[in-house]
Amino acid sequence: MSSVGLLYVGAVLFINGLMLIGVVPGKSAAILNFFVGTMQVVFPTIILIQANNDLPTIFGAAGLYLFGFTYLYVGILQVTGVSGEGLGWFSLFVAACALVIGALQFTLVGDPVFGAIWLTWAVLWFLFFLLLGLGRDSLTYATGWFTIFVAHITGTIPAFFLLVGRYETNTGLALLVTVAAVAALAAGLFLGRKGIPHGKRSEEGAAVSPA
């Protein structure tokens, strides 16, 4: 995941989380999903064309497609009003892939921080499977708040460390990311039970958006 791409992962997750809790209308959120989704489909395609069968490069590009297709799917749903079951089941597939990529980050790549980040994304995508694929509407607010927190834990913050050349990876930092992610999930579930003070979420925001 490039530092610039990761920064925009944080941006779109933040907007999608706000959409889920009813702060940002769905059609408004769709615009950024189209921008970032297109970027994360076009760029990895260019990378693959130039990869010359280099497996580490291909491996990195494959992960970007998971994000790109998710965001494009979200944008299309918000604009068309099509139901989200397909996105929900796609999210289950992506969650499984994220688990594998996370494990490989720990073992093959030797980057435990991104291992923890990918496992956090796996949890996020699984929540979208529950919400959209299985129709667990009671998880809408909780998923929205978790998405907002995860946007910065897994996107914005590590992206800036990468951009300024200060990124480090070790077991201690991976544990810190894991603790932050668990705290974010607990906070999301708590806030999800309380609802939000602004009142009802918008119907447009109900359609959804993952990682």
Side-chain angles (χ1 to χ4, degrees), residues 68-145:
F69 288 132
T70 297
Y71 299 143
L72 290 176
Y73 208 147
V74 170
I76 291 170
L77 292 187
Q78 296 304 319
V79 169
T80 63
V82 173
S83 64
E85 290 88 350
L87 177 58
W89 285 95
F90 175 66
S91 296
L92 178 62
F93 168 80
V94 178
C97 290
L99 283 174
V100 174
I101 294 174
L104 292 174
Q105 292 289 332
F106 282 106
T107 57
L108 183 65
V109 180
D111 188 344
V113 168
F114 264 93
I117 286 174
W118 273 101
L119 293 181
T120 301
W121 286 332
V123 173
L124 180 61
W125 264 303
F126 185 72
L127 284 175
F128 278 100
F129 162 66
L130 295 177
L131 177 61
L132 294 174
L134 299 185
R136 302 286 179 81
D137 291 340
S138 61
L139 291 173
T140 301
Y141 290 138
T143 303
W145 283 111

Side-chain angles (χ1 to χ4, degrees), residues 158-183:
F160 275 112
F161 275 108
L162 285 164
L163 285 167
V164 300
R166 296 293 183 88
Y167 175 77
E168 297 180 15
T169 184
N170 55 55
T171 303
L173 290 173
L175 181 60
L176 181 62
V177 171
T178 302
V179 170
V182 171

